[in-house]
Amino acid sequence: MSALMLQLAGPLQAWGSAARFARRTTENAPTKSGVIGLLAAAQGRDRTQDLSDLTALDFGVRIDQPGTRVRDYQTAHHLDTDRSMPVSERFYLADAVFVAAVAGDDALIDRLHEAVRAPVYLPYLGRRSCPPARPVDLGLRSGTGVHEALESEEWRASTWYQRRLRREAAVSLPLLVDAVAGDTRADSRRDTPLSFDPLHRRYALRGVRTHTVEVANPWARGPAAPEHDPTSLLGGD
Amino acid sequence: MSRTILDLHVLQTVPPSNINRDDTGAPKTAVYGGARRSRVSSQAWKRATRMAFDDLLDAGELGVRTKRVAELLTVRIQNIDTAIEEREAWTLAAETVQAATGSKIDVPKRKAEAAKKNGQPEPAPESAYLMFLSARQLDALAELAVEGRADIKAFLKDNKKRAKELADTRHSVDIALFGRMVADGADVNVDAAAQVAHAISVHPVENESDYYTAVDDENPDEETGAGMIGTVEFNSATLYRYAALDADLLRRNLGEGLREDEPVTQPLRRAVEAFVRGFVESLPTGKVNTFGNHTLPEAVIVKLRRTRPVSFVGAFEEPVAPGDGHVRKASERLADYVGQVEAAYGLADDTETWVLRVGPSTADLADLGTELPLAELVTAVGTATAERSAPTA
């Protein structure tokens, strides 16, 4: 087993899992369907092509820099009559950085790695108007699963963001991975793609387990502030 | 497989303006690199580019986005056979489009009722939403409709595949570049070959508000106050604009060798040239009469690549600080960043680069590639793209 590490960074990204019609929302982290879609497109698969090998991969994502939510208000007009069409709202994550990992069979992961470096269809971060600002490919980690690979990955947040947290020598990052069967503390999300066929897109539920991982902050400065808990003076327990 | 991908990078300064606003009337913004930036949405700039095509391309190479597709087809049907009455042509047109796209073409209920009430004849049928068809596709569908005139329903039953093919080949330049979505007929959808990013300013921006009063011309008395007061929000920005173009997909969308008398890559070449020129020169028109912000880019960098597109927005993640304007610093940053990224990822060798730049503040960009004025740059890019995509004999 090996893991392919992907860096998802850009001024704007959008990862919808329940977005429909005129209100297109985004989750706060990349969805499995979004990342599998990116990989399938990199390989040049058509929308109607079988995805089962990609869906079977283990998936995880780490929120290295959470970003902020942007609401985009969009109008459109009929070109012939100039009457306005229904306005739509699109939500984006601005200024976010994620590290995603997929793990599985070595040969398939190798092929995906190659595809990400020379993609057949242009890559984008959840929505076509969101091109990546950094190379997506972060390389392979052989002999590890998603969780371990994401745990040992260096912190990919932007320099300005790392410096802003310079008082923290180690930073906690949320890590969202596929839940194992029977995990009662998992959330569920409908973002496992079964088919991207535009005639009938289908998604299955996926159990998602949230962990936190600690990463070192390269910009950490001096010793951490001493432990200070004023309420301890009040005694009691 | 050899790939051809075109990257377009533009630095453009706009003075106080509000070219793309949100529902409160404020210019759109986004946070990047921890700082608020001015933003112009990709949709706004794609529309401006598409509008610029009217002056750059023949109408026959463009598409029409309308609900009145039956009426458009009727004109063409009657051009082929003047003996066909309007009403019969409407039916022929409606049935043909329905077979080709899977979308229902009906007389809109409300319009029909209104006509009935006013004693007018029934109006023309329309599609339920905007249909995007190229001029060539409409011509071909009109011919098909006339061919099956005797019994259109039975004819289309046998020729449904042909009708679909006619709606799915020979796409116009705008459909090939920006895509088409037909909700009821996903098999005639077209994947966009162009990817346009939201333009963002290279520096932090705070929106400002202009308080204005309007004087009543017909009220010459003193101390009358204002006839109207209001505010307009605006900002000024040096924008980084980026677009990527998949030349291989564009070529597939356009089709090739459509005319005997031209090389197979001619449609691709014309489309690439129109896109580069249209994207560089166009500007969304929001509040343009209020601010008169008709600027042209200070710098344009065009790159032809073999593996993948690369955006240089990372050069501006750390916002440019104000100083002697923003263009000089932005050019310095960009020149430095392009070199570093291409060296780090081994991209420099397979990349051809052209540069257009204005004034001494963009001097740092000169070494990135071949410097040319716009008209020559457009031709050079079009030629190189066509050559790379030409079948190797």
Side-chain angles (χ1 to χ4, degrees), chain A residues 11-12 47 70-74 78-80 85 92 94-95 119-120 122-124 128-129 131-133 135 158 160 198-199, chain B residues 3 22-23 28 31-34 39 42-43 47 50 66-67 130 186 191-192 195-198 246 307-308 311 313 317 345:
Chain A
L12 296 174
R47 287 184 216 273
V70 171
R71 173 175 163 269
D72 192 43
Y73 167 83
Q74 201 184 321
H78 291 275
L79 274 184
D80 46 355
M85 297 208 280
Y92 295 89
D95 221 1
V120 176
L122 304 189
Y124 51 85
R128 197 187 286 271
S129 58
S158 305
W160 68 268
L199 286 177
Chain B
R3 295 275 283 125
D22 66 16
D23 45 347
K28 287 182 175 178
V31 174
Y32 186 50
R39 173 172 67 94
S42 60
Q43 298 89 357
R47 185 170 197 275
R50 203 151 58 80
T66 180
K67 287 182 173 182
L130 296 177
D191 267 318
Q195 182 182 24
V196 177
H198 291 235
D246 183 336
T307 50
R308 60 176 164 194
S311 159
V313 72
E317 194 195 14
Y345 292 92

Short mmCIF file of all heavy atoms in Angstrom, two decimals, chain A residues 11-12 47 70-74 78-80 85 92 94-95 119-120 122-124 128-129 131-133 135 158 160 198-199, chain B residues 3 22-23 28 31-34 39 42-43 47 50 66-67 130 186 191-192 195-198 246 307-308 311 313 317 345:
data_model
loop_
_atom_site.label_atom_id
_atom_site.label_comp_id
_atom_site.label_asym_id
_atom_site.label_seq_id
_atom_site.Cartn_x
_atom_site.Cartn_y
_atom_site.Cartn_z
N PRO A 11 -6.46 30.82 -4.16
CA PRO A 11 -7.23 31.94 -3.62
C PRO A 11 -8.68 31.51 -3.33
O PRO A 11 -9.26 31.94 -2.35
CB PRO A 11 -7.19 32.98 -4.73
CG PRO A 11 -6.05 32.60 -5.59
CD PRO A 11 -5.87 31.13 -5.46
N LEU A 12 -9.25 30.68 -4.20
CA LEU A 12 -10.62 30.23 -4.01
C LEU A 12 -10.70 28.72 -4.26
O LEU A 12 -10.04 28.20 -5.14
CB LEU A 12 -11.57 30.94 -4.98
CG LEU A 12 -11.73 32.45 -4.87
CD1 LEU A 12 -12.58 32.97 -6.02
CD2 LEU A 12 -12.35 32.85 -3.55
N ARG A 47 -16.98 11.16 -18.03
CA ARG A 47 -17.88 11.21 -16.88
C ARG A 47 -18.68 9.91 -16.70
O ARG A 47 -19.13 9.62 -15.61
CB ARG A 47 -18.87 12.36 -17.05
CG ARG A 47 -18.25 13.70 -16.85
CD ARG A 47 -19.31 14.78 -16.94
NE ARG A 47 -18.79 15.98 -17.58
CZ ARG A 47 -18.17 16.94 -16.94
NH1 ARG A 47 -18.00 16.87 -15.65
NH2 ARG A 47 -17.72 18.00 -17.58
N VAL A 70 -16.47 32.82 1.46
CA VAL A 70 -16.85 33.97 0.63
C VAL A 70 -18.18 33.64 -0.03
O VAL A 70 -18.37 32.53 -0.53
CB VAL A 70 -15.81 34.22 -0.50
CG1 VAL A 70 -16.32 35.26 -1.48
CG2 VAL A 70 -14.49 34.64 0.09
N ARG A 71 -19.10 34.59 -0.01
CA ARG A 71 -20.35 34.39 -0.70
C ARG A 71 -20.33 35.21 -1.98
O ARG A 71 -20.05 36.40 -1.95
CB ARG A 71 -21.52 34.84 0.19
CG ARG A 71 -22.86 34.83 -0.51
CD ARG A 71 -23.96 35.18 0.47
NE ARG A 71 -25.14 35.56 -0.24
CZ ARG A 71 -25.43 36.81 -0.60
NH1 ARG A 71 -24.60 37.79 -0.29
NH2 ARG A 71 -26.53 37.08 -1.26
N ASP A 72 -20.60 34.56 -3.09
CA ASP A 72 -20.58 35.26 -4.37
C ASP A 72 -22.00 35.33 -4.89
O ASP A 72 -22.68 34.31 -5.02
CB ASP A 72 -19.69 34.52 -5.36
CG ASP A 72 -19.42 35.35 -6.60
OD1 ASP A 72 -19.16 36.55 -6.44
OD2 ASP A 72 -19.47 34.81 -7.71
N TYR A 73 -22.41 36.53 -5.18
CA TYR A 73 -23.76 36.76 -5.68
C TYR A 73 -23.66 36.89 -7.18
O TYR A 73 -22.85 37.66 -7.68
CB TYR A 73 -24.27 38.04 -5.03
CG TYR A 73 -25.52 38.65 -5.62
CD1 TYR A 73 -26.77 38.18 -5.25
CD2 TYR A 73 -25.43 39.71 -6.51
CE1 TYR A 73 -27.90 38.77 -5.76
CE2 TYR A 73 -26.57 40.30 -7.02
CZ TYR A 73 -27.81 39.82 -6.64
OH TYR A 73 -28.93 40.41 -7.14
N GLN A 74 -24.45 36.11 -7.90
CA GLN A 74 -24.28 36.10 -9.35
C GLN A 74 -25.60 36.34 -10.07
O GLN A 74 -26.61 35.71 -9.77
CB GLN A 74 -23.73 34.75 -9.74
CG GLN A 74 -23.05 34.79 -11.08
CD GLN A 74 -22.59 33.41 -11.49
OE1 GLN A 74 -22.11 32.65 -10.66
NE2 GLN A 74 -22.73 33.10 -12.74
N HIS A 78 -30.84 37.21 -19.91
CA HIS A 78 -31.08 36.66 -21.24
C HIS A 78 -30.45 37.57 -22.25
O HIS A 78 -30.65 38.79 -22.19
CB HIS A 78 -32.58 36.58 -21.52
CG HIS A 78 -33.29 35.56 -20.69
ND1 HIS A 78 -33.35 34.25 -21.05
CD2 HIS A 78 -33.94 35.67 -19.52
CE1 HIS A 78 -34.01 33.59 -20.14
NE2 HIS A 78 -34.39 34.42 -19.18
N LEU A 79 -29.69 37.00 -23.18
CA LEU A 79 -29.03 37.85 -24.16
C LEU A 79 -30.03 38.45 -25.15
O LEU A 79 -29.83 39.53 -25.67
CB LEU A 79 -27.99 37.05 -24.94
CG LEU A 79 -26.63 36.98 -24.28
CD1 LEU A 79 -25.66 36.25 -25.17
CD2 LEU A 79 -26.11 38.37 -23.98
N ASP A 80 -31.13 37.72 -25.40
CA ASP A 80 -32.04 38.23 -26.43
C ASP A 80 -33.03 39.25 -25.86
O ASP A 80 -33.33 40.25 -26.50
CB ASP A 80 -32.77 37.08 -27.15
CG ASP A 80 -33.32 36.04 -26.19
OD1 ASP A 80 -33.06 36.16 -24.97
OD2 ASP A 80 -34.00 35.11 -26.65
N MET A 85 -32.37 36.41 -15.12
CA MET A 85 -32.64 35.03 -14.75
C MET A 85 -32.52 34.92 -13.23
O MET A 85 -32.08 35.86 -12.58
CB MET A 85 -31.62 34.14 -15.44
CG MET A 85 -31.74 34.21 -16.94
SD MET A 85 -31.21 32.73 -17.75
CE MET A 85 -29.46 32.91 -17.75
N TYR A 92 -17.56 30.08 -1.63
CA TYR A 92 -16.20 29.64 -1.85
C TYR A 92 -15.45 29.63 -0.53
O TYR A 92 -15.83 30.34 0.40
CB TYR A 92 -15.45 30.61 -2.78
CG TYR A 92 -15.97 30.69 -4.18
CD1 TYR A 92 -16.98 31.60 -4.52
CD2 TYR A 92 -15.45 29.91 -5.19
CE1 TYR A 92 -17.46 31.69 -5.82
CE2 TYR A 92 -15.91 30.00 -6.50
CZ TYR A 92 -16.92 30.89 -6.80
OH TYR A 92 -17.37 30.98 -8.09
N ALA A 94 -11.97 30.95 0.68
CA ALA A 94 -10.87 31.78 0.22
C ALA A 94 -9.65 31.51 1.09
O ALA A 94 -9.78 31.30 2.30
CB ALA A 94 -11.26 33.24 0.29
N ASP A 95 -8.47 31.49 0.45
CA ASP A 95 -7.23 31.49 1.22
C ASP A 95 -7.02 30.21 2.04
O ASP A 95 -6.42 30.27 3.11
CB ASP A 95 -7.26 32.69 2.18
CG ASP A 95 -5.91 33.37 2.26
OD1 ASP A 95 -5.00 32.94 1.56
OD2 ASP A 95 -5.78 34.34 3.02
N PRO A 119 -1.85 16.07 -16.30
CA PRO A 119 -3.29 15.77 -16.35
C PRO A 119 -3.89 15.91 -17.75
O PRO A 119 -3.49 16.78 -18.51
CB PRO A 119 -3.90 16.81 -15.41
CG PRO A 119 -2.91 17.93 -15.38
CD PRO A 119 -1.56 17.32 -15.60
N VAL A 120 -4.84 15.04 -18.06
CA VAL A 120 -5.51 15.10 -19.36
C VAL A 120 -6.49 16.27 -19.39
O VAL A 120 -6.51 17.05 -20.32
CB VAL A 120 -6.24 13.79 -19.67
CG1 VAL A 120 -7.02 13.90 -20.98
CG2 VAL A 120 -5.24 12.64 -19.76
N LEU A 122 -7.82 19.82 -17.46
CA LEU A 122 -7.22 20.82 -16.57
C LEU A 122 -7.75 20.65 -15.14
O LEU A 122 -8.95 20.52 -14.94
CB LEU A 122 -7.56 22.23 -17.06
CG LEU A 122 -7.16 22.57 -18.51
CD1 LEU A 122 -7.36 24.06 -18.77
CD2 LEU A 122 -5.73 22.20 -18.79
N PRO A 123 -6.86 20.65 -14.17
CA PRO A 123 -7.30 20.44 -12.79
C PRO A 123 -7.94 21.71 -12.20
O PRO A 123 -7.59 22.82 -12.60
CB PRO A 123 -6.00 20.13 -12.05
CG PRO A 123 -4.93 20.79 -12.85
CD PRO A 123 -5.40 20.81 -14.27
N TYR A 124 -8.89 21.52 -11.30
CA TYR A 124 -9.42 22.66 -10.56
C TYR A 124 -9.88 22.21 -9.18
O TYR A 124 -10.08 21.03 -8.94
CB TYR A 124 -10.55 23.36 -11.33
CG TYR A 124 -11.67 22.48 -11.83
CD1 TYR A 124 -12.73 22.14 -11.00
CD2 TYR A 124 -11.69 22.02 -13.13
CE1 TYR A 124 -13.77 21.36 -11.46
CE2 TYR A 124 -12.72 21.22 -13.61
CZ TYR A 124 -13.76 20.90 -12.77
OH TYR A 124 -14.80 20.13 -13.22
N ARG A 128 -14.66 24.99 -11.66
CA ARG A 128 -13.74 25.26 -12.76
C ARG A 128 -13.03 26.61 -12.66
O ARG A 128 -11.91 26.77 -13.14
CB ARG A 128 -14.48 25.18 -14.10
CG ARG A 128 -13.57 25.02 -15.28
CD ARG A 128 -14.33 25.12 -16.57
NE ARG A 128 -15.10 23.95 -16.86
CZ ARG A 128 -14.64 22.90 -17.53
NH1 ARG A 128 -13.42 22.91 -18.00
NH2 ARG A 128 -15.41 21.86 -17.75
N SER A 129 -13.67 27.58 -12.02
CA SER A 129 -13.04 28.90 -11.93
C SER A 129 -12.02 28.97 -10.80
O SER A 129 -11.57 30.06 -10.46
CB SER A 129 -14.11 29.97 -11.73
OG SER A 129 -14.86 29.69 -10.56
N PRO A 131 -8.56 27.54 -10.25
CA PRO A 131 -7.35 26.78 -10.56
C PRO A 131 -6.43 26.73 -9.33
O PRO A 131 -6.45 27.64 -8.52
CB PRO A 131 -6.70 27.59 -11.69
CG PRO A 131 -7.25 28.96 -11.56
CD PRO A 131 -8.61 28.83 -10.95
N PRO A 132 -5.65 25.65 -9.18
CA PRO A 132 -4.74 25.58 -8.04
C PRO A 132 -3.63 26.63 -8.16
O PRO A 132 -3.17 26.91 -9.26
CB PRO A 132 -4.16 24.16 -8.14
CG PRO A 132 -4.44 23.68 -9.51
CD PRO A 132 -5.60 24.46 -10.03
N ALA A 133 -3.22 27.17 -7.00
CA ALA A 133 -2.15 28.17 -7.01
C ALA A 133 -0.79 27.52 -6.79
O ALA A 133 0.23 28.14 -7.01
CB ALA A 133 -2.41 29.23 -5.94
N PRO A 135 1.46 23.60 -7.19
CA PRO A 135 1.37 22.27 -7.81
C PRO A 135 0.60 21.32 -6.89
O PRO A 135 0.81 21.31 -5.68
CB PRO A 135 2.83 21.84 -7.94
CG PRO A 135 3.59 23.12 -7.97
CD PRO A 135 2.85 24.07 -7.10
N SER A 158 0.46 28.66 4.46
CA SER A 158 1.28 29.75 3.93
C SER A 158 2.16 30.33 5.03
O SER A 158 1.83 30.27 6.21
CB SER A 158 0.38 30.86 3.42
OG SER A 158 -0.52 30.35 2.49
N TRP A 160 2.73 33.38 5.88
CA TRP A 160 2.11 34.44 6.70
C TRP A 160 1.26 33.81 7.80
O TRP A 160 1.20 34.32 8.92
CB TRP A 160 1.28 35.41 5.85
CG TRP A 160 0.03 34.79 5.25
CD1 TRP A 160 -0.07 34.20 4.04
CD2 TRP A 160 -1.25 34.70 5.86
NE1 TRP A 160 -1.35 33.74 3.84
CE2 TRP A 160 -2.09 34.03 4.93
CE3 TRP A 160 -1.79 35.12 7.08
CZ2 TRP A 160 -3.44 33.78 5.20
CZ3 TRP A 160 -3.14 34.86 7.33
CH2 TRP A 160 -3.94 34.20 6.41
N PRO A 198 -23.49 12.68 -16.20
CA PRO A 198 -24.34 13.86 -16.06
C PRO A 198 -25.83 13.54 -16.15
O PRO A 198 -26.66 14.32 -15.70
CB PRO A 198 -23.90 14.78 -17.21
CG PRO A 198 -23.07 13.93 -18.11
CD PRO A 198 -22.55 12.79 -17.32
N LEU A 199 -26.17 12.39 -16.72
CA LEU A 199 -27.58 12.02 -16.78
C LEU A 199 -28.08 11.56 -15.43
O LEU A 199 -29.27 11.63 -15.14
CB LEU A 199 -27.79 10.89 -17.80
CG LEU A 199 -27.70 11.30 -19.26
CD1 LEU A 199 -27.85 10.08 -20.15
CD2 LEU A 199 -28.77 12.33 -19.60
N ARG B 3 0.65 17.00 -25.30
CA ARG B 3 -0.42 17.89 -24.89
C ARG B 3 -0.07 19.33 -25.25
O ARG B 3 1.10 19.69 -25.32
CB ARG B 3 -0.61 17.82 -23.37
CG ARG B 3 -1.07 16.49 -22.90
CD ARG B 3 -2.57 16.34 -22.99
NE ARG B 3 -3.25 17.05 -21.92
CZ ARG B 3 -4.20 17.97 -22.11
NH1 ARG B 3 -4.55 18.31 -23.32
NH2 ARG B 3 -4.81 18.54 -21.09
N ASP B 22 -21.51 43.07 -5.82
CA ASP B 22 -22.36 42.07 -5.18
C ASP B 22 -23.75 42.66 -4.96
O ASP B 22 -24.06 43.75 -5.44
CB ASP B 22 -21.74 41.57 -3.88
CG ASP B 22 -21.65 42.64 -2.80
OD1 ASP B 22 -22.34 43.69 -2.93
OD2 ASP B 22 -20.91 42.44 -1.83
N ASP B 23 -24.61 41.94 -4.22
CA ASP B 23 -25.99 42.39 -4.10
C ASP B 23 -26.16 43.64 -3.25
O ASP B 23 -27.24 44.23 -3.22
CB ASP B 23 -26.90 41.26 -3.58
CG ASP B 23 -26.29 40.51 -2.42
OD1 ASP B 23 -25.07 40.70 -2.18
OD2 ASP B 23 -26.99 39.76 -1.75
N LYS B 28 -16.85 43.28 -5.53
CA LYS B 28 -16.60 41.97 -4.94
C LYS B 28 -15.18 41.88 -4.39
O LYS B 28 -14.25 42.47 -4.94
CB LYS B 28 -16.82 40.89 -6.00
CG LYS B 28 -18.29 40.67 -6.32
CD LYS B 28 -18.49 39.56 -7.32
CE LYS B 28 -19.98 39.30 -7.52
NZ LYS B 28 -20.23 38.25 -8.52
N VAL B 31 -10.50 37.17 0.46
CA VAL B 31 -9.27 37.25 1.25
C VAL B 31 -8.26 36.31 0.63
O VAL B 31 -8.58 35.17 0.31
CB VAL B 31 -9.55 36.85 2.71
CG1 VAL B 31 -8.25 36.77 3.50
CG2 VAL B 31 -10.50 37.84 3.35
N TYR B 32 -7.04 36.77 0.43
CA TYR B 32 -5.95 35.90 -0.03
C TYR B 32 -4.68 36.35 0.65
O TYR B 32 -4.43 37.56 0.76
CB TYR B 32 -5.82 35.97 -1.56
CG TYR B 32 -4.81 35.00 -2.13
CD1 TYR B 32 -4.83 33.64 -1.77
CD2 TYR B 32 -3.82 35.42 -3.02
CE1 TYR B 32 -3.92 32.75 -2.29
CE2 TYR B 32 -2.91 34.53 -3.54
CZ TYR B 32 -2.94 33.20 -3.17
OH TYR B 32 -2.04 32.32 -3.69
N GLY B 33 -3.90 35.39 1.12
CA GLY B 33 -2.68 35.72 1.84
C GLY B 33 -2.99 36.52 3.10
O GLY B 33 -2.19 37.33 3.55
N GLY B 34 -4.18 36.29 3.67
CA GLY B 34 -4.57 36.97 4.89
C GLY B 34 -4.99 38.42 4.69
O GLY B 34 -5.29 39.11 5.66
N ARG B 39 -11.85 41.66 -6.17
CA ARG B 39 -12.06 40.44 -6.97
C ARG B 39 -13.02 40.74 -8.10
O ARG B 39 -14.00 41.46 -7.92
CB ARG B 39 -12.63 39.34 -6.06
CG ARG B 39 -13.05 38.07 -6.78
CD ARG B 39 -13.41 36.98 -5.78
NE ARG B 39 -14.61 37.31 -5.02
CZ ARG B 39 -15.84 36.92 -5.36
NH1 ARG B 39 -16.02 36.18 -6.44
NH2 ARG B 39 -16.87 37.26 -4.64
N SER B 42 -14.96 35.21 -12.39
CA SER B 42 -14.61 34.63 -13.69
C SER B 42 -15.79 34.74 -14.65
O SER B 42 -15.60 34.94 -15.84
CB SER B 42 -14.21 33.17 -13.50
OG SER B 42 -15.28 32.44 -12.93
N GLN B 43 -17.02 34.61 -14.11
CA GLN B 43 -18.19 34.69 -14.98
C GLN B 43 -18.26 36.05 -15.67
O GLN B 43 -18.57 36.14 -16.86
CB GLN B 43 -19.48 34.49 -14.18
CG GLN B 43 -19.59 33.14 -13.51
CD GLN B 43 -18.99 33.13 -12.11
OE1 GLN B 43 -18.43 34.13 -11.67
NE2 GLN B 43 -19.07 32.01 -11.43
N ARG B 47 -17.93 36.59 -19.78
CA ARG B 47 -18.97 37.24 -20.58
C ARG B 47 -18.37 38.38 -21.39
O ARG B 47 -18.67 38.54 -22.58
CB ARG B 47 -20.09 37.76 -19.68
CG ARG B 47 -21.24 38.34 -20.48
CD ARG B 47 -22.45 38.63 -19.61
NE ARG B 47 -23.63 38.81 -20.42
CZ ARG B 47 -23.99 39.96 -20.98
NH1 ARG B 47 -23.22 41.02 -20.83
NH2 ARG B 47 -25.07 40.03 -21.72
N ARG B 50 -16.60 36.97 -24.28
CA ARG B 50 -17.54 36.47 -25.29
C ARG B 50 -18.15 37.63 -26.09
O ARG B 50 -18.33 37.53 -27.30
CB ARG B 50 -18.65 35.67 -24.60
CG ARG B 50 -19.36 34.68 -25.45
CD ARG B 50 -19.87 33.49 -24.64
NE ARG B 50 -20.77 33.88 -23.57
CZ ARG B 50 -22.06 34.16 -23.75
NH1 ARG B 50 -22.59 34.09 -24.95
NH2 ARG B 50 -22.82 34.49 -22.74
N THR B 66 -30.38 31.43 -26.74
CA THR B 66 -31.73 31.98 -26.75
C THR B 66 -32.78 30.90 -26.48
O THR B 66 -32.52 29.72 -26.64
CB THR B 66 -32.02 32.65 -28.11
OG1 THR B 66 -33.33 33.18 -28.09
CG2 THR B 66 -31.92 31.64 -29.25
N LYS B 67 -33.95 31.37 -26.06
CA LYS B 67 -35.10 30.47 -25.96
C LYS B 67 -35.86 30.42 -27.29
O LYS B 67 -36.64 29.52 -27.52
CB LYS B 67 -36.08 30.98 -24.90
CG LYS B 67 -35.62 30.80 -23.48
CD LYS B 67 -36.72 31.30 -22.57
CE LYS B 67 -36.45 31.01 -21.13
NZ LYS B 67 -37.56 31.45 -20.28
N LEU B 130 -32.50 28.66 -21.85
CA LEU B 130 -31.67 29.15 -22.94
C LEU B 130 -30.95 28.01 -23.65
O LEU B 130 -30.30 27.20 -23.02
CB LEU B 130 -30.61 30.12 -22.39
CG LEU B 130 -31.16 31.40 -21.77
CD1 LEU B 130 -30.03 32.24 -21.20
CD2 LEU B 130 -31.92 32.20 -22.81
N ALA B 186 -28.01 15.61 -21.70
CA ALA B 186 -26.62 15.68 -21.26
C ALA B 186 -25.66 15.13 -22.31
O ALA B 186 -24.48 15.45 -22.31
CB ALA B 186 -26.45 14.92 -19.95
N ASP B 191 -17.88 20.12 -22.84
CA ASP B 191 -16.97 20.52 -21.76
C ASP B 191 -16.16 21.73 -22.20
O ASP B 191 -15.57 21.73 -23.28
CB ASP B 191 -16.02 19.37 -21.44
CG ASP B 191 -16.55 18.51 -20.32
OD1 ASP B 191 -17.08 19.09 -19.35
OD2 ASP B 191 -16.44 17.28 -20.41
N ALA B 192 -16.11 22.74 -21.36
CA ALA B 192 -15.39 23.96 -21.70
C ALA B 192 -13.90 23.69 -21.84
O ALA B 192 -13.32 22.98 -21.02
CB ALA B 192 -15.62 25.02 -20.62
N GLN B 195 -10.42 27.69 -18.97
CA GLN B 195 -10.62 27.81 -17.52
C GLN B 195 -10.19 29.22 -17.15
O GLN B 195 -9.07 29.62 -17.41
CB GLN B 195 -9.74 26.78 -16.81
CG GLN B 195 -9.90 26.78 -15.32
CD GLN B 195 -8.96 25.78 -14.65
OE1 GLN B 195 -7.94 25.43 -15.20
NE2 GLN B 195 -9.32 25.36 -13.45
N VAL B 196 -11.11 29.98 -16.56
CA VAL B 196 -10.80 31.37 -16.21
C VAL B 196 -10.89 31.51 -14.70
O VAL B 196 -11.89 31.12 -14.09
CB VAL B 196 -11.78 32.34 -16.90
CG1 VAL B 196 -11.51 33.78 -16.48
CG2 VAL B 196 -11.69 32.21 -18.42
N ALA B 197 -9.85 32.06 -14.09
CA ALA B 197 -9.85 32.25 -12.64
C ALA B 197 -10.46 33.60 -12.30
O ALA B 197 -10.51 34.51 -13.13
CB ALA B 197 -8.42 32.20 -12.11
N HIS B 198 -10.94 33.74 -11.08
CA HIS B 198 -11.37 35.05 -10.60
C HIS B 198 -10.14 35.95 -10.56
O HIS B 198 -9.09 35.54 -10.05
CB HIS B 198 -11.96 34.94 -9.19
CG HIS B 198 -13.26 34.19 -9.15
ND1 HIS B 198 -14.40 34.73 -8.60
CD2 HIS B 198 -13.61 32.96 -9.61
CE1 HIS B 198 -15.39 33.86 -8.72
NE2 HIS B 198 -14.93 32.78 -9.32
N ASP B 246 -7.09 24.52 -22.80
CA ASP B 246 -6.70 23.19 -23.23
C ASP B 246 -6.88 23.12 -24.74
O ASP B 246 -7.98 22.95 -25.24
CB ASP B 246 -7.60 22.16 -22.51
CG ASP B 246 -7.22 20.73 -22.84
OD1 ASP B 246 -6.62 20.50 -23.91
OD2 ASP B 246 -7.55 19.85 -22.04
N THR B 307 2.64 19.83 -20.32
CA THR B 307 2.11 18.90 -19.33
C THR B 307 0.90 19.40 -18.59
O THR B 307 -0.14 18.75 -18.54
CB THR B 307 3.18 18.52 -18.29
OG1 THR B 307 3.78 19.71 -17.80
CG2 THR B 307 4.22 17.61 -18.91
N ARG B 308 1.00 20.57 -17.97
CA ARG B 308 -0.11 21.04 -17.14
C ARG B 308 -0.09 22.55 -17.08
O ARG B 308 0.95 23.17 -17.29
CB ARG B 308 0.02 20.46 -15.74
CG ARG B 308 1.32 20.91 -15.11
CD ARG B 308 1.44 20.45 -13.71
NE ARG B 308 2.83 20.57 -13.30
CZ ARG B 308 3.31 20.01 -12.22
NH1 ARG B 308 2.54 19.31 -11.45
NH2 ARG B 308 4.57 20.17 -11.90
N SER B 311 -0.74 28.41 -12.69
CA SER B 311 -1.12 29.77 -12.31
C SER B 311 0.00 30.38 -11.49
O SER B 311 0.65 29.69 -10.71
CB SER B 311 -2.41 29.73 -11.48
OG SER B 311 -2.53 30.92 -10.72
N VAL B 313 -0.51 32.93 -9.38
CA VAL B 313 -1.14 33.77 -8.37
C VAL B 313 -0.35 33.72 -7.06
O VAL B 313 -0.36 34.67 -6.27
CB VAL B 313 -2.62 33.36 -8.16
CG1 VAL B 313 -2.75 32.04 -7.43
CG2 VAL B 313 -3.40 34.45 -7.45
N GLU B 317 0.67 36.02 -3.15
CA GLU B 317 0.03 35.59 -1.91
C GLU B 317 0.42 36.55 -0.80
O GLU B 317 -0.42 36.97 0.00
CB GLU B 317 0.43 34.16 -1.55
CG GLU B 317 -0.50 33.63 -0.49
CD GLU B 317 0.01 32.39 0.18
OE1 GLU B 317 1.19 32.05 0.03
OE2 GLU B 317 -0.81 31.77 0.89
N TYR B 345 10.13 22.88 -10.68
CA TYR B 345 9.33 21.77 -11.19
C TYR B 345 9.75 21.33 -12.59
O TYR B 345 9.04 20.56 -13.24
CB TYR B 345 7.84 22.15 -11.15
CG TYR B 345 7.36 22.24 -9.73
CD1 TYR B 345 7.37 23.45 -9.05
CD2 TYR B 345 6.94 21.10 -9.04
CE1 TYR B 345 6.98 23.54 -7.72
CE2 TYR B 345 6.55 21.18 -7.72
CZ TYR B 345 6.57 22.39 -7.07
OH TYR B 345 6.19 22.46 -5.75
#
